[in-house]
Amino acid sequence: MENAEAIHVQPNSGGTTGSAAACSFSGCIMPVMASSGQGSERLNAQLLVDSIPGLIHTARPDGYLDYFNKPWLEYLGVTLDKVTGWNWTAFVHPEDVEGIVAKWRACLATGEIFDYETRVRKANGEYRWMFHRKVPLRDANGNIVKWYGSSLDIEERKTAEEQFRRNAQELQRSEFYLAEGQRLAHMGSWAFDPDGFYYWSPELFRMHGLDPASKPPSVQEYLDCVHAQDRESMANLIKGILAKASTFDATKRIVRPNGEVRYIRCVGAPIVENQSLKKYIGSSIDVTEHELLTQELRRREAYLTEAQGLSHTGSFGWRPDSGGIVWSDETYRIFEYDRSVKPTIDSVVQRVHPGDRADFEEVTNRALAGATDFEHAYRLLLPDGRVKHVHAIAHVLQDASGNREFVGGVTDITERKAAEEALRRSEAYLAEAQRLSHTGSWAWTPDSDARHWSEECYRVLGFDPRDGAPRIEELIQRIHPDDQPAFRESVERAMHNKFDEELDYRIVHPGGAVRDIHTIGHPVFSPSGDLIEYTGTVIDVTERKRAEEELRRSEMELQQMLDLAPQHIVVYGPNRERLYANRVALDYHGYSLEEWQQSSGKYIHPDDNGRLDVVFGHAVARGSADELELRLRKRDGTYRWFLARYNPLRDNKGQVMRWYAACTDIEDRKQAEDTLHRENVALREEIDKASMFEEIVGTSPALKSVLSRISKVAPSDSTVLITGETGTGKELVARAIHRRSDRAARPFVSVNCAAIPRDLIASELFGHEKGAFTGATQQRLGRFELANGGTIFLDEVGELPAETQVALLRVLQEHEFERVGGTRRIRADVRVIAATNRNLQAAISAGSFRSDLFYRLNVFPIEMPSLRERREDIPLLVEYFIDRYARKAGKNITGVNKKTLELLQSYPWPGNIRELQNVIERSVILCETEIFSIDESWLPKQPSLTEPKNQMELPRKLLAQEKEMIEAALKESRGRIFGPTGAAAKLGIPRSTLESKIKSLKIDKNHFRTLSGI
């Protein structure tokens, strides 16, 4: 090194680091030794250094790193200019920069060799441990002229050292726990392999209450020691650790032979060799006392949390010096912050109502300035706009280091504030109520004569509130002289007996006005039973007194009115106790009021007594008015009929307070009714001979034949088909059949099939489900369901459309149907009676009526005779209708004009009984005498009706003519059914009716649309 000044190095211009790197290298790298042979030969030093598999760098004497070889730059992934100088610190791990820089500066100052370990970031961003070493190069004077350094990757070594260190520490801890832990902590150790326990320490035996001299238990023996509730989980744990090697930490309960239960914590670790589980070793600790203390602590924490929740009081801690704040769960709930939010003074201030922030900050500043406690109330404004009222109180605690911490509680007093506000409103309402009801309140302490009067109390008693409450003697002087002795006696009695007192007296106001006062006093006692004070009210009852006096006068007048009323008037209590009977009733029975109240109903006829009990009992049970007729015994022993009406009197809660009964003498009416009844019986027998069936009037052979058939078919359930001309009384026959059947108590439902639109007939008969068609907004019951158990009358059954005929046939055959839009089958217990004025045989031939339905309906046919066939019944019918409409019109018609009767009998009556009924009603309205007559002009001339030779010829002609008319209308409207120019409008019939006829007559309406296009 002594010849260093004479040595120089020629840079290699072909180096990979470029000319700048070459110059840097040539100017700073150590000189290359000259060969000692035949002359000097220059070496390519840069190529040599870049070829070394080590990481080489150099530095100036001042610590400026001026060169890194090619492996270094490739390791870092940068060019030389990015790491020279002190830029290299950017590649050192941030946690290591301060240490390496300090070490480097120290070595620069002392000239010592630099050794240091840091983490350096590779080009891919990964940090790896490096050992750095720098050696100084000195000149002849000992001055440092250069630093040469190298770095070595020691990542694997560092990893191994760390693992070794951890293993050593773990071993030391295990040895300590094994030795000292068992001695000091009553801890036992054990060893366990797949075959079971093969080692237990003596302490472990003692923990389980077993003999240490015995051998370790088997797995099953061990599980038998475990508490029954923990046994299954421990068995599953043993299975799990044998299946997969893993450490475990479990606490379970064991039961000692003497029955004592102990908590044992068991910690174990596996020993694995060649990836195979060899054994488990571990320790067991008796943690009974710790577990019981933990459970007690948890209970207390739970109690505290519950108490805070119930009292809406949270706790907090605040360190003013550091600003740290700790909240309980309830405090979080009060401020409505999430527990993930760390509370600060700023977060609290954000919740404080803007109107209270100044006061809050003032309290906070005093606490920061050294106050030892604080207490204040403020409002919280929550994000959703709600306002809470809170009250906070805290006291400062100081530790040995002088650190201050406020510990306190915050209470949600919103409900209390609301209650206080409600109380203030209630007091205002009370004062207003006292003013309106003229009721004052007072309190009086007898020992000290201390008093408290409400404002209304001053007004009621006529004293000035500005003078304060008067003394007792002053009050007595204001009382009316006649009432003063009673007042003094009441005061003395209250002080002596200490009971509630109630008194009425008169007070004389300063202006001379006398007011009636009602006062009530109630004693208030201490817990020891000593009288504290009397509290009570004074009420101005002057108007009430006057009203009571007026009421007494009215009651006296009412009493006189009741006593003079020509009825028996009695009053009963809610349970039929006798309270009052008027003078008329008492005189009738020969009782005094007391005797009547004590009587047990002996004055009621024995045959009526039970009926009275039933009727009155029902009235009491229902709480509604009722009446009955009964016989009451007179004082002479005779009985007379009375109509008794009972009416309840209710209080404002609807409870019956009184029963008022009025009995009216109806003896004369009852005798008249008996006479009339006897007359009616005789008359009814005469009427029955003329007409057996209500409104079916007549005695002609034709009608008697029909009535005979009605009597025979009525008791059965057979289907009946009633035919005949319009107006012959087919529905009356149907009702007569129903009334004489076993179904008379059940519904009779009548349906006019011709009056219901074609589209709705199925829904009308069988009902529909919600949503079955447009407009079906809810479920609807059909007529068959409404008639269940009774009778359904299908009038004009010949007008049913074909699809409805099918459904009706199913009902007749299977006794079941489905609602429109429904799928559930519904049983039909209904008797069917049908009627028509059409020739169904002709309709069957024309294809508009089903033959199978006809045969089902025609089980028992009844042909109604026309009025022409029963002319002998016309006089009876005329008399019947005249009587009905004359009574309705309030007229007295005593006879029928002979000519009128002959005219009525000679008329053919194409409209049958309905036409006769209408003519009679019109004539009664216009009749002005007692003799009934009609105008001959009201009966139009009718051609004589003769029976058709061929009963099938006329219906066929009518159907053919109807078909021609429909086809003509369709042709004219070009196949259009509805609309102003449609065929329905041209024929003057509904669209549904026309479509039904088109279908029954088998008309192809599309044919006419085709013709219109040709």
Side-chain angles (χ1 to χ4, degrees), residues 221-277:
E221 290 172 341
Y222 168 73
L223 291 175
D224 291 340
C225 296
V226 177
H227 193 282
Q229 295 179 0
D230 300 340
R231 191 171 298 151
E232 182 178 357
S233 62
M234 286 305 300
N236 293 334
L237 174 64
I238 292 173
K239 292 179 181 178
I241 62 175
L242 289 176
K244 181 180 179 181
S246 61
T247 59
F248 66 89
D249 187 340
T251 301
K252 82 282 187 181
R253 289 166 291 178
I254 60 115
V255 181
R256 290 179 174 177
N258 62 0
E260 182 184 2
V261 177
R262 306 294 292 179
Y263 287 85
I264 304 297
R265 179 184 177 188
C266 187
V267 180
I271 303 298
V272 180
E273 296 180 3
N274 298 326
Q275 299 183 346
S276 175
L277 176 65

Side-chain angles (χ1 to χ4, degrees), residues 443 449-455 457-459 461-472 474-475 478:
D449 199 18
R451 300 155 312 286
H452 166 74
W453 282 15
S454 68
E455 294 184 6
C457 189
Y458 282 101
R459 283 193 291 268
L461 298 179
F463 286 89
D464 190 341
R466 292 173 295 182
D467 298 335
R471 297 286 180 180
I472 284 292
E474 295 178 54
L475 175 61
R478 284 282 184 91

Side-chain angles (χ1 to χ4, degrees), residues 713-727:
V713 77
S716 70
D717 271 347
S718 299
T719 304
V720 179
L721 178 61
I722 306 171
T723 58
E725 297 179 10
T726 181

Side-chain angles (χ1 to χ4, degrees), residues 491-750:
V491 172
E492 293 175 359
R493 186 169 56 247
M495 295 177 63
H496 181 266
N497 297 333
K498 300 177 183 179
F499 292 154
D500 288 351
E501 278 293 324
E502 189 170 355
L503 181 68
D504 289 317
Y505 60 90
R506 289 164 293 176
I507 191 111
V508 182
H509 282 198
V514 178
R515 308 295 293 179
D516 288 284
I517 304 298
H518 177 75
T519 184
I520 300 174
H522 175 73
V524 179
F525 298 99
S526 67
S528 60
D530 297 328
L531 178 65
I532 299 176
E533 63 180 359
Y534 264 91
T535 61
T537 60
V538 290
I539 308 173
D540 188 336
V541 294
T542 305
E543 283 71 21
R544 192 186 76 186
K545 286 283 187 180
R546 293 172 182 171
E548 288 175 352
E549 183 62 29
E550 183 65 28
L551 181 60
R552 278 193 293 272
R553 285 196 298 271
S554 299
E555 287 177 347
M556 291 178 63
E557 294 177 1
L558 179 60
Q559 180 76 34
Q560 293 176 353
M561 293 171 60
L562 292 176
D563 286 340
L564 297 174
Q567 287 180 311
H568 296 190
I569 298 175
V570 295
V571 181
Y572 295 100
N575 297 316
R576 203 176 171 182
E577 55 269 26
R578 294 179 176 84
L579 302 178
Y580 168 79
N582 69 341
R583 177 53 51 192
V584 172
L586 295 175
D587 290 345
Y588 177 86
H589 297 299
Y591 290 148
S592 66
L593 179 61
E594 292 75 14
E595 290 173 340
W596 175 78
Q597 290 174 340
Q598 298 299 324
S599 66
S600 57
K602 296 179 180 179
Y603 52 86
I604 300 172
H605 195 283
D607 295 343
D608 300 336
N609 213 349
R611 192 159 48 87
L612 173 63
D613 292 339
V614 172
V615 172
F616 195 75
H618 287 171
V620 171
R622 297 193 305 269
S624 60
D626 210 336
E627 64 179 38
L628 82 158
E629 296 176 354
L630 75 167
R631 287 160 289 185
L632 301 178
R633 189 182 64 192
K634 201 174 180 181
R635 64 192 308 164
D636 60 4
T638 62
Y639 286 91
R640 293 181 65 83
W641 279 99
F642 283 83
L643 172 63
R645 290 188 173 92
Y646 298 91
N647 284 285
L649 174 67
R650 302 176 183 275
D651 60 13
N652 55 4
K653 296 181 180 179
Q655 301 295 322
V656 175
M657 302 296 296
R658 295 285 188 272
W659 283 96
Y660 293 102
C663 299
T664 305
D665 191 325
I666 59 171
E667 177 67 24
D668 295 339
R669 193 197 79 189
K670 291 293 288 187
Q671 292 181 4
E673 286 177 354
D674 289 342
T675 302
L676 182 61
H677 175 71
R678 290 192 295 272
E679 294 175 353
N680 285 341
V681 169
L683 180 61
R684 191 175 297 111
E685 290 176 354
E686 294 297 326
I687 293 175
D688 288 344
K689 294 178 182 178
S691 177
M692 298 165 52
F693 294 87
E694 292 92 2
E695 296 181 351
I696 303 177
V697 179
T699 58
S700 64
L703 184 60
K704 286 183 177 180
S705 175
V706 171
L707 298 180
S708 175
R709 294 177 66 83
I710 292 174
S711 299
K712 292 176 181 179
V713 77
S716 70
D717 271 347
S718 299
T719 304
V720 179
L721 178 61
I722 306 171
T723 58
E725 297 179 10
T726 181
T728 55
K730 293 186 287 295
E731 184 170 351
L732 289 177
V733 172
R735 290 184 181 275
I737 294 173
H738 172 71
R739 289 172 183 168
R740 280 155 179 76
S741 70
D742 295 337
R743 299 173 180 266
R746 304 305 297 244
F748 176 85
V749 178
S750 178

Side-chain angles (χ1 to χ4, degrees), residues 755-770:
I756 303 173
R758 172 191 181 91
D759 296 339
L760 298 179
I761 185 65
S763 171
E764 187 70 22
L765 290 177
F766 308 117
H768 62 253
E769 300 289 351
K770 180 178 179 182

Side-chain angles (χ1 to χ4, degrees), residues 63-68 80-81 83-89 104:
Y64 184 95
L65 271 66
D66 54 4
Y67 174 75
F68 287 80
L80 182 62
D81 59 321
V83 292
T84 55
W86 294 88
N87 293 331
W88 54 271
T89 58
W104 177 227

Side-chain angles (χ1 to χ4, degrees), residues 794-823:
L794 302 177
D795 198 6
E796 304 295 348
V797 71
E799 303 300 326
L800 285 177
E803 56 271 21
T804 309
Q805 293 180 31
V806 175
L808 178 58
L809 180 62
R810 179 185 176 186
V811 175
L812 294 173
Q813 290 177 338
E814 303 177 10
H815 302 289
E816 63 181 24
F817 62 91
E818 296 174 358
R819 297 193 190 104
V820 176
T823 58

